[in-house]
């Protein structure tokens, strides 16, 4: 979990600073995002209700894991940036 200040910076970055900051893979990212969403819809349509619910639970839990990973990467990047700013 991020500190309150890092949380504010993270929220700001998510809302205002991510566009255009892909290294080289923005086109591939958008393609995979669209493809993944379409595949998930197709898969959900093939499943009965209990299996669909299980899939939805998995997707929700994996989303939480990815959120923690993004926060961790942001925190690491922020720490590195602060350390570099002290060197200059």
């Amino acid at each position: 979990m991020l500190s309150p200040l890092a949380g504010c910076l993270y929220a700001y970055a998510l809302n205002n600073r991510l566009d255009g900051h892909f290294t080289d893979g923005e086109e591939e990212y958008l393609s995979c995002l669209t493809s993944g969403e379409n595949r998930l819809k197709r898969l959900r349509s093939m499943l009965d209700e209990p299996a669909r619910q299980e899939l939805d639970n998995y997707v929700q839990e994996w989303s939480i894991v990815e959120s923690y990973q993004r926060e961790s990467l942001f925190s690491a990047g922020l720490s590195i940036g602060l350390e570099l700013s002290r060197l200059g």
Side-chain angles (χ1 to χ4, degrees):
M1 190 59 90
L2 296 172
S3 71
L5 176 58
C8 288
L9 292 171
Y10 179 71
Y12 175 80
L14 281 177
N15 293 324
N16 301 292
R17 304 290 295 178
L18 290 182
D19 291 343
H21 284 85
F22 288 95
T23 51
D24 289 327
E26 182 174 11
E27 188 175 311
E28 183 178 8
Y29 165 78
L30 294 173
S31 173
C32 289
L33 180 65
T34 302
S35 176
E37 288 171 347
N38 290 336
R39 287 175 187 264
L40 180 59
K41 285 178 189 173
R42 283 194 308 272
L43 178 58
R44 287 187 87 252
S45 71
M46 290 183 236
L47 300 173
D48 62 12
E49 188 54 37
R52 198 170 22 253
Q53 186 60 48
E54 188 66 26
L55 176 63
D56 290 345
N57 291 342
Y58 166 78
V59 169
Q60 183 178 16
E61 288 177 3
W62 189 249
S63 176
I64 293 168
V65 168
E66 287 179 328
S67 176
Y68 280 116
Q69 290 172 337
R70 283 189 302 273
E71 287 180 11
S72 179
L73 288 170
F74 176 82
S75 183
L78 181 61
S79 293
I80 291 169
L82 290 171
E83 288 297 320
L84 289 173
S85 73
R86 290 185 188 121
L87 296 175

